[in-house]
Amino acid sequence: MTLIDGRAIAAAITAEVTETAAKLRESGTVPTLAVLVPTDDDATAWYVRSIERAAKKVDIDCRVVKLENPTGEDVTRELDKLSADPSVHGIICQTPLPEGVTLDHVGAHIDPAKDVDGANPVSLGRLAAGLPTYAPATAAAVLEILKREQVALSGAQVAVVGRSTVVGKPAALLLLGENATVTVCHSRTKDLAAVTKTADVLVVAVGRAHFVGADHVKPGAVVIDVGTNPTPEGGLVGDVDQAAVEEIAGSITPVPGGVGPVTTSLLLRHTVTAAQA
Ligand SMILES: Nc1nc(=O)c2c([nH]1)NC[C@@H]1CN(c3ccc(C(=O)N[C@@H](CCC(=O)O)C(=O)O)cc3)C=[N+]21
């Protein structure tokens, strides 16, 4: 079994982004990403620090806007302001959002041209229609890993477990765009293991530690583990029971060091692309 090195893939993307960012600066544009943080959440705080660190390395300006106990209206007003600000090229609104506020609602206030984490329903619609757009960075990371690992997708059986708007659904659309035969599974799927066992590529994005085990995996399958579940000991585990699957899968993305770092690097790539446009 091969462990897929997400950090190495992220480093390769980061090197490309560094070059593009330098060219932008030479031509007088300071590539700028705005990160809106509407709630206090440990996982989000970690992701925001990681974005800041990564942006600094590639010389992208990162503007973190922290709101204290905002209403939905406070969030949309801030997103309207950032969308209208010509010095901002990319905008990400962190989840979770305040109680009663949905990403669909606030996402509609991110200019699609700056929507580097694909949160505007317009961006998702464009993705569904096969038009150029920014896919959510995590979904894009799934595809980027499969491409860099040269996994054949055309005609392949792919199972996506999870149907969220930020990962499962857009990942399924991106995979369809590569001519994969995509099955989307979720909490109501009957006999999940029977479906996932037929998959050459298994993408798991349910947000539950060790949800997928040995009896879910086809021998030799490529397993992409999107989960980042905090453990009581302060560590991080995926949605896949890696130890149980090790003997069966052909290759797997570890957690940490798999999809996560690639997600951050793609958010930055989307930002320089937006700055070039
Ligand atoms: N609008 C929005 N989009 C997101 O994509 C989004 C979000 N909100 N809110 C928070 C979650 C969390 N998230 C992570 C991204 C990378 C790592 C990551 O790189 N983790 C490291 C390890 C971290 C560690 O070791 O503690 C890794 O997997 O190797 C983790 C978590 C994106 N999120």
Side-chain angles (χ1 to χ4, degrees), residues 36-273:
L36 186 61
V37 186
T39 50
D40 283 312
D41 174 82
D42 286 348
T44 301
W46 187 90
Y47 185 40
V48 172
R49 279 196 302 275
S50 148
I51 293 170
E52 283 184 287
R53 223 172 20 226
K56 193 165 183 184
K57 250 191 245 166
V58 303
D59 220 4
I60 288 177
D61 265 26
C62 184
R63 235 182 267 172
V64 176
V65 182
K66 178 101 187 51
L67 300 178
E68 298 297 333
N69 295 315
T71 63
E73 211 169 308
D74 295 332
V75 176
T76 56
R77 195 183 317 114
E78 191 58 42
L79 291 172
D80 286 336
K81 208 168 89 187
L82 293 168
S83 291
D85 183 341
S87 70
V88 172
H89 306 105
I91 303 168
I92 176 171
C93 178
Q94 289 294 313
T95 56
L97 293 161
E99 192 72 30
V101 180
T102 68
L103 191 59
D104 292 343
H105 175 64
V106 299
H109 291 261
I110 300 173
D111 178 350
K114 303 184 179 185
D115 189 18
V116 289
D117 201 37
N120 192 323
V122 168
S123 300
L124 197 63
R126 292 183 63 88
L127 190 62
L131 298 169
T133 185
Y134 300 106
T138 308
V142 171
L143 259 287
E144 186 78 25
I145 290 168
L146 291 170
K147 285 201 167 166
R148 297 222 179 210
E149 292 296 306
Q150 296 175 16
V151 176
L153 291 172
S154 184
Q157 295 285 345
V158 180
V160 178
V161 187
R163 55 171 154 178
S164 73
T165 310
V166 282
V167 191
K169 237 183 260 181
L173 290 170
L174 287 166
L175 288 158
L176 267 181
E178 300 297 323
N179 302 310
T181 303
V182 184
T183 307
V184 183
C185 310
H186 47 78
S187 52
R188 308 273 174 94
T189 297
K190 284 180 185 153
D191 201 354
L192 175 70
V195 179
T196 58
K197 266 211 126 133
T198 66
D200 306 311
V201 178
L202 177 58
V203 179
V204 189
V206 288
R208 278 169 57 188
H210 293 178
F211 182 78
V212 159
D215 39 336
H216 292 89
V217 178
K218 177 177 176 176
V222 179
V223 180
I224 308 291
D225 187 353
V226 182
T228 50
N229 308 290
T231 64
E233 298 78 36
L236 204 66
V237 293
D239 293 347
V240 177
D241 186 344
Q242 304 247 348
V245 164
E246 214 167 50
E247 300 290 294
I248 304 158
S251 58
I252 188 163
T253 59
V255 179
V259 175
V262 181
T263 299
T264 311
S265 68
L266 287 182
L267 187 70
L268 299 179
R269 190 170 81 190
H270 290 176
T271 301
V272 290
T273 303

